[in-house]
């Protein structure tokens, strides 16, 4: 499976409070998403388009276990995140909610410009941007399937429905 | 050559040949939820998936967050929880006895070698009993409830060596705060930590629980301690009829020599002094006497990490025959009914009362900021809890310092940061 999208480029340490600010956590998921990343890019929520990809540095999503950090990116239409490394719980939550997140330790952000078109090959675990390409982690098939189905609940749901149809 | 973590993952996954960073699907021996992460979240998701609970006897439900139910929302959560327990015929239901991480082992539900998940970030506590234990979110828990399985990325088992033995008035909390201060809250990068070394043998089970509990503050997925004679003795006393995992003796669950990888860490217990963490992060920890002290308005002894029987004993030693400062309030919420009863039997509750303390119910209480007792904007609190994030215990303007129960008690006597080693000489 291949995915093409515009790139948003962020640095190191984008934490869960930047993704889903604590003071807006009582709002609806849609309203909360409007504040996603505003602390580092005020125009993010208003300019992001469905299918966009986030490229980032170390420890993307570090911080709390709140699933809203992932949910906000999903609501805004982000199709994948590629980062040098992730907060462990964030990446778990991302897979479970159906957001593709691949770590890419060698990713060189200085070779990337905002809104460059990038191509992500999920199965091979390769990211292409212009002349450059980087090896990302390769996810096992069961995780790729789960993410494609839209996350863990949808994946199990599909299995239940498949059983009923038999 | 396997670490204790790899031995547990191997059994849980049925795989023998795997490496760090590989993905495994593991069978869960036991899952635990509390009233916040429990039925109110699980029931709708199970219904959406048209799935039944995988095994009613492998799900423990322990209510501790929204209890006592002081408002309508809390009463609703309590009702939803009770209805689920009744409908699903849950055997391991322990309402309003104490904090889930402390109650769980008291009920004899843990045994070394178990693969355990909990719907709370401090579920790492069960690692003190030689279980692979980690906290998961609502979606993950729904998957476990439906299938009894969970995926895991094989972590490094990083070694934390404790050399020597803790000195007078220095505790497990000080070990963790030392690590938080030196390495920060992402020290473990979501890998597993194993606490080992000669220092471990000097720590009681409840002190070990503090290490595993606050592995979460070090960014670890799990913080495990291999079982020894102290573990087996504790478990035999609390669960005389416990079943050994795979019939293996407790001592089977050990790391082989040379099986650790990634960075390793060392804490010298002989030279460790009492620590305190300034607002608003455990990573702001430093030796207690290095800080400039504020004037505290509240001293809080509570939480799974800071109000177990050993914690209450440490605080009582400081407070015995003394009065708290007139400028401060001392609030004590024992971690469970069993700990509270034992404290009463030992005369500790009377010591607290005579010193001027006020008691709160045996729940998460102020630590999670869910109940009626919350910090106000002007409050500066010194607390035996695990986290001092901005606003966690109440108003966003409040400030929380973290320290051991003994150091919190010492601060209650003077109203300021006070080295507990300088207070007692007679016991």
């Amino acid at each position: 499976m291949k995915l093409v999208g515009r790139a948003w480029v962020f640095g190191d340490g984008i934490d869960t409070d930047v993704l889903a600010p604590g003071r807006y956590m009582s709002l609806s998921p849609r309203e909360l998403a409007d504040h996603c990343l505003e602390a580092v890019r005020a125009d993010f929520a208003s300019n992001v388009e469905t299918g966009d990809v986030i490229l980032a540095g170390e420890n993307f999503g570090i911080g709390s276990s709140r699933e809203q950090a992932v949910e906000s990116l999903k609501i805004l239409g982000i199709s994948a995140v590629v980062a040098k490394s992730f907060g462990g719980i964030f990446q778990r939550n991302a897979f479970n909610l159906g957001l593709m997140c691949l770590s890419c330790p060698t990713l060189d952000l200085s070779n990337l410009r905002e809104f460059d078109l990038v191509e992500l090959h999920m199965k091979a675990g390769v990211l292409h941007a212009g002349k450059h390409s980087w090896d990302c982690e390769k996810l096992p098939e069961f995780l790729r399937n789960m993410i494609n189905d839209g996350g863990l609940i949808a994946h199990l749901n599909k299995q239940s429905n498949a059983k009923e149809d038999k | 050559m396997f670490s204790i973590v790899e031995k547990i993952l191997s059994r849980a996954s049925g795989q023998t040949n795997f490496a760090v960073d590989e993905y495994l699907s593991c069978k869960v021996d036991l899952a635990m939820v509390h009233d916040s992460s429990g039925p109110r979240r699980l029931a709708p998701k199970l219904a959406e998936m048209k799935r039944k609970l995988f095994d009613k006897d492998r799900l423990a439900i322990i209510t501790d967050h929204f209890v006592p139910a002081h408002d309508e929302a809390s009463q609703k959560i309590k009702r939803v929880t009770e209805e689920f327990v009744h409908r699903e015929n849950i055997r391991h239901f322990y309402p309003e006895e104490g904090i889930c991480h402390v109650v769980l082992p008291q009920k004899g539900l843990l045994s070394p070698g178990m693969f355990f998940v909990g719907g709370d970030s401090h579920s790492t506590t069960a690692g003190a009993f030689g279980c692979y234990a980690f906290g998961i979110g609502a979606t993950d828990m729904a998957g476990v409830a439906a299938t009894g399985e969970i995926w895991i990325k094989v972590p490094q088992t990083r070694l934390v060596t404790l050399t020597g033995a803790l000195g007078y008035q220095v505790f497990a909390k000080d070990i963790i705060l030392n690590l938080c201060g030196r390495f920060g809250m992402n020290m473990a990068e979501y890998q597993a930590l194993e606490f080992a070394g000669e220092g471990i043998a000097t720590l009681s089970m409840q002190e070990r629980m503090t290490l595993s509990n606050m592995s979460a503050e070090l960014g670890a997925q799990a913080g495990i301690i291999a079982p020894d004679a102290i573990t087996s003795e504790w478990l035999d006393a609390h669960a005389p009829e416990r079943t050994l995992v795979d019939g293996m003796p407790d001592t089977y669950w050990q790391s082989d020599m040379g099986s650790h990888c990634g960075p390793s860490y060392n804490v010298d217990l002989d030279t460790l002094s009492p620590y305190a963490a300034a607002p608003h992060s455990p990573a702001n920890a430093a030796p207690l006497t290095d800080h400039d002290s504020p004037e505290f308005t509240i001293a809080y002894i509570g939480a799974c990490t800071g109000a177990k029987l050993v914690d209450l004993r440490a605080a009582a030693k400081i407070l015995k025959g003394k009065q708290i400062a007139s400028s401060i309030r001392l609030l004590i919420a024992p971690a469970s009914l069993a700990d509270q009863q034992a404290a009463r039997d030992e005369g500790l509750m009377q010591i607290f009362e005579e010193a001027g303390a006020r008691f709160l119910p045996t729940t998460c209480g102020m630590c999670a900021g869910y109940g009626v007792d919350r910090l106000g904007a002007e409050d500066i609190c010194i607390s035996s809890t695990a986290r001092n994030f901005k606003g966690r215990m109440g108003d966003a303007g409040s400030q929380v310092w973290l320290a051991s129960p003994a150091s919190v008690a010492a601060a209650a006597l003077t109203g300021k940061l006070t080295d507990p080693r300088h207070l007692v000489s007679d016991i």
Side-chain angles (χ1 to χ4, degrees), chain B residues 27-281:
Chain B
K27 284 195 162 58
V28 171
D29 292 304
L30 182 71
M32 176 187 72
V33 291
H34 49 57
D35 42 349
S36 182
S37 63
R40 68 178 182 138
R41 302 245 170 102
L42 281 182
K45 288 192 157 87
L46 282 171
E48 186 191 336
M49 292 181 282
K50 300 175 195 159
R51 297 268 189 152
K52 289 195 165 34
L53 195 57
F54 81 106
D55 183 345
K56 69 178 184 63
D57 293 337
R58 287 179 188 268
L59 179 70
I61 302 180
I62 304 176
T63 64
D64 57 11
H65 274 61
F66 292 100
V67 291
H70 68 280
D71 60 10
E72 207 172 308
S74 308
Q75 281 154 14
K76 188 177 171 212
I77 291 166
K78 183 177 166 168
R79 209 162 50 240
V80 167
T81 307
E82 286 167 352
E83 281 166 11
F84 182 86
V85 164
H86 184 72
R87 190 168 68 241
E88 300 290 341
N89 195 18
I90 301 287
R91 182 152 58 110
H92 302 302
F93 175 52
Y94 306 107
E96 301 185 41
E97 282 192 35
I99 305 169
C100 59
H101 310 298
V102 176
V103 170
L104 184 76
Q106 287 171 352
K107 298 298 176 186
L109 295 181
L110 298 177
S111 201
M114 281 174 59
F115 185 90
F116 169 84
V117 296
D120 186 279
S121 61
H122 286 117
S123 300
T124 51
T125 312
F129 297 86
C131 304
Y132 194 79
F134 60 108
I136 56 175
T139 302
D140 251 338
M141 187 56 84
V144 170
T147 66
E149 295 188 13
I150 190 166
W151 63 269
I152 188 168
K153 189 176 184 181
V154 179
Q156 296 171 347
T157 308
R158 298 185 178 183
L159 185 61
V160 184
T161 305
L162 308 182
T163 54
L166 288 173
Y168 182 60
Q169 297 298 335
V170 188
F171 300 93
K173 174 62 68 62
D174 299 307
I175 300 174
I176 288 290
L177 289 178
N178 170 280
L179 288 165
C180 284
R182 283 161 65 201
F183 300 105
M185 291 192 72
N186 195 33
M187 169 182 124
E189 300 175 295
Y190 208 52
Q191 307 300 308
L193 297 177
E194 179 180 359
F195 294 93
E198 59 187 359
I200 284 292
T202 68
L203 298 176
S204 68
M205 280 319 296
Q206 287 198 329
E207 279 281 86
R208 295 179 190 189
M209 286 164 73
T210 298
L211 298 181
S212 292
N213 177 288
M214 287 189 63
S215 296
E217 277 59 48
L218 297 170
Q221 183 177 49
I224 199 165
I225 299 172
D228 61 9
I230 293 172
T231 323
S232 301
E233 196 178 304
W234 198 99
L235 289 168
D236 291 340
H238 288 81
E241 288 165 28
R242 72 193 169 102
T243 352
L244 297 174
V245 169
D246 277 1
M248 302 301 281
D250 293 340
T251 47
Y252 167 78
W253 304 101
Q254 308 283 334
S255 289
D256 298 334
M257 285 284 278
S259 59
H260 298 94
C261 63
S264 58
Y265 316 88
N266 193 295
V267 182
D268 181 25
L269 305 192
D270 286 333
T271 56
L272 189 68
S273 63
Y275 264 61
H280 297 284
S281 168

Side-chain angles (χ1 to χ4, degrees), chain A residues 59 62 67 92 96 157 160, chain B residues 48-49 51 139-140 151:
Chain A
N59 291 323
I62 193 147
E67 291 189 333
R92 249 203 107 78
N96 285 331
N157 221 345
S160 304
Chain B
E48 186 191 336
M49 292 181 282
R51 297 268 189 152
T139 302
D140 251 338
W151 63 269

